[in-house]
Amino acid sequence: MGTTATLSGNIDIPAGIAATLVNPAAYADHRIHDSYRWLRANNPLGIARPEKFDPFWVVTKHAHIQAVSRQNELFHNADRPTTLTNQAVEERVRKITGGPNLVRSLVQMDAPDHPKYRALTQGWFMPANLGKFEARVSEIARATVQRMLDKSGACDFVEDVALGYPLHVIMEILGVPEKDEPRMLKLTQELFGPQDPDTARIREQLTAEQFSVMMQSVVADFGAYFRGITEDRRRNPRDDLATVIANAKIGGDYMPDHDATSYYMIVATAGHDTTSSSTAGAVWALAEDPAQFEKVKANPELIPGLVDEAIRWMTPVKHFMRSATADTELGGRKIAKGDWLMLCYASGNRDEDVFDEPYKFRCDRKPNRHVAFGYGAHLCLGQYLAKLEMRILFEELLPRLKSIALDGEVRMTQAYFVNGPKKLPIRFEVN
């Protein structure tokens, strides 16, 4: 890690907090928020040196996250792993791919590739185009809500609603047949939850080599599936996103296979998993706070605010990594060329300097300048779709409910990259 290793010790964050940042279980039981709070107050831009990982800067303040995110030339995505990776796994991935990342989606790209690849599908995800899906999304939402209400007053909201609904929406838009949705869900959970005992492909403790092979096999399964989709859409183009990706040209040629697989993967996984978490987060918050439930139920115009607050509250993508391309300064600290930085979005979204009562869920929060979708050139492509889906679901669900409450222990996934509720037992009364 550049010259920073020689700087005085007070720049380092305590070993216990550094260990929390790389502990998947700490993201499931909320200990991570205690660490974030301490860091914002005491060392908002310090260096973590957890065992088995390269040192990295921990960026916990909203303003610093935005500053890094808007300077894409200075802070790259692709030069080092884009998500937190230990030394042994990174070494193994470099042997497999020749680079630091197993996939090469928009998230792992910098200019000039990133804007070219993003432009291929950006129009699809803009509000003007999404309007044509609204009626169909409403149908899917109504059917989902009815299935929940048929459960006789109790359900696991994650399993019965939050997982399937956004999955079905994005797969229709992408063009994946409904029969293949369970396969896509399983692969997504294996990709984003490799540290969680309930979702990992292999459940026992793995060496770096075994872990890398496991993740490579998940990527290979995605690749094999979407190769078939690509071949079909080149022969039989349709009005779906898969046709756009399959037939997209970069510099006059089709996308390389690995890039195409990565593109499908980011749409097919991020396109529902994060929305599932935020949707469940909203219901969790309303079940715990009857006053918020009554407030939004009595004022349906608060639903868009409920959606934004749920996204801030849950912040499903906990971090992305960046690396400095030159010596620079941030928050009074000298960052060296090659240094690795962890952008802690969930910390930025609890920043006391930006959010009044950051630890309270408020569906009428205004303004709500959260960074859950990132910021700058890498701002989440699917943000408008996520908000549309969530808004429509709550417009369908809330008028039908008289009350909602927790009905057992809520459990979160154990993962330090993307996490959210995996069990949300609720009981409810229907109007």
Side-chain angles (χ1 to χ4, degrees):
M1 179 166 192
T3 57
T4 49
T6 61
L7 292 173
S8 58
N10 66 357
I11 210 162
D12 287 1
I13 68 176
I17 287 184
T20 305
L21 290 166
V22 302
N23 178 3
Y27 291 75
D29 62 18
H30 307 298
R31 275 177 292 150
I32 191 63
H33 283 294
D34 297 332
S35 295
Y36 286 154
R37 184 188 278 160
W38 188 93
L39 288 167
R40 287 193 304 274
N42 299 286
N43 195 351
L45 191 65
I47 295 174
R49 303 180 189 278
E51 277 184 58
K52 301 179 180 175
F53 290 80
D54 283 346
F56 53 89
W57 291 94
V58 185
V59 187
T60 56
K61 295 291 285 179
H62 189 277
H64 293 159
I65 290 168
Q66 288 192 330
V68 171
S69 301
R70 74 166 73 94
Q71 299 179 79
N72 296 103
E73 291 300 313
L74 185 56
F75 296 103
H76 269 186
N77 285 43
D79 300 351
R80 299 196 63 184
T82 313
T83 57
L84 186 66
T85 307
N86 67 36
Q87 291 159 334
V89 170
E90 181 182 352
E91 186 184 335
R92 177 71 191 156
V93 167
R94 285 184 183 276
K95 279 184 188 159
I96 294 167
T97 66
N101 296 295
L102 268 180
V103 294
R104 189 172 179 269
S105 74
L106 293 175
V107 170
Q108 290 86 12
M109 286 183 184
D110 299 302
D113 285 354
H114 176 258
K116 286 182 203 162
Y117 277 72
R118 187 178 172 101
L120 296 173
T121 59
Q122 185 152 4
W124 266 77
F125 290 103
M126 288 294 113
N129 189 59
L130 292 174
K132 71 185 187 188
F133 299 109
E134 194 155 341
R136 178 63 186 132
V137 173
S138 295
E139 279 177 35
I140 297 169
R142 265 194 299 280
T144 304
V145 167
Q146 193 54 55
R147 279 196 302 277
M148 172 183 154
L149 300 183
D150 291 343
K151 296 270 177 190
S152 307
C155 72
D156 177 345
F157 188 82
V158 171
E159 193 175 315
D160 295 323
V161 179
L163 284 181
Y165 166 65
L167 177 71
H168 191 47
V169 172
I170 194 63
M171 291 306 152
E172 277 212 6
I173 289 173
L174 184 56
V176 168
E178 190 171 354
K179 67 178 173 54
D180 294 336
E181 286 176 16
R183 180 178 179 182
M184 289 293 110
L185 178 62
K186 182 170 181 290
L187 285 172
T188 300
Q189 291 174 332
E190 290 172 349
L191 185 73
F192 288 157
Q195 302 136 333
D196 188 286
D198 293 331
T199 54
R201 179 168 285 207
I202 301 167
R203 305 292 162 91
E204 61 268 17
Q205 283 293 106
L206 302 177
T207 65
E209 177 123 357
Q210 289 168 327
F211 181 84
S212 306
V213 168
M214 174 183 80
M215 296 309 288
Q216 192 186 6
S217 71
V218 174
V219 174
D221 281 359
F222 271 115
Y225 178 81
F226 282 113
R227 258 193 303 282
I229 294 265
T230 295
E231 287 162 14
D232 176 72
R233 295 309 193 275
R234 285 181 187 166
R235 287 195 307 269
N236 311 298
R238 299 186 207 169
D239 186 20
D240 61 20
L241 200 51
T243 299
V244 177
I245 297 170
N247 293 285
K249 300 272 179 89
I250 296 282
D253 295 314
Y254 288 128
M255 261 188 252
D257 279 353
H258 186 60
D259 290 359
T261 294
S262 301
Y263 214 126
Y264 286 120
M265 280 176 68
I266 191 88
V267 174
T269 57
H272 64 88
D273 187 80
T274 51
T275 309
S276 300
S277 293
S278 296
T279 305
V283 167
W284 183 359
L286 295 179
E288 283 192 320
D289 190 344
Q292 288 289 310
F293 173 73
E294 293 299 338
K295 191 175 200 170
V296 73
K297 202 169 145 44
N299 303 285
E301 69 276 7
L302 290 178
I303 288 175
L306 166 76
V307 166
D308 253 330
E309 181 69 340
I311 294 165
R312 175 192 81 88
W313 187 246
M314 198 46 60
T315 312
V317 177
K318 295 298 183 278
H319 80 271
F320 274 123
M321 308 297 289
R322 301 285 188 264
S323 53
T325 60
D327 292 353
T328 187
E329 198 169 290
L330 181 68
R333 296 260 152 108
K334 287 181 167 36
I335 311 280
K337 181 180 180 179
D339 281 3
W340 209 22
L341 299 89
M342 179 190 231
L343 303 185
C344 298
Y345 301 114
S347 174
N349 283 342
R350 296 282 195 283
D351 190 336
E352 296 80 0
D353 290 342
V354 177
F355 300 98
D356 186 36
E357 298 184 304
Y359 288 89
K360 279 190 85 168
F361 185 97
R362 296 189 346 209
C363 58
D364 59 354
R365 183 180 294 281
K366 271 187 181 175
N368 193 344
R369 297 190 301 271
H370 65 74
V371 286
F373 290 121
Y375 189 74
H378 282 272
L379 186 69
C380 174
L381 199 56
Q383 62 162 324
Y384 299 113
L385 176 61
K387 290 187 195 182
L388 172 85
E389 290 173 58
M390 290 175 68
R391 172 179 63 77
I392 289 173
L393 183 76
F394 289 116
E395 285 171 352
E396 295 290 343
L397 177 62
L398 292 175
R400 310 281 303 273
L401 292 179
K402 188 171 165 190
S403 71
I404 183 170
L406 294 181
D407 193 28
E409 184 194 1
V410 182
R411 290 173 60 216
M412 300 267 287
T413 47
Q414 295 184 29
Y416 53 59
F417 171 36
V418 176
N419 95 317
K422 64 179 176 181
K423 290 278 174 213
L424 179 56
I426 58 167
R427 59 182 190 279
F428 54 88
E429 291 177 287
V430 180
N431 280 330

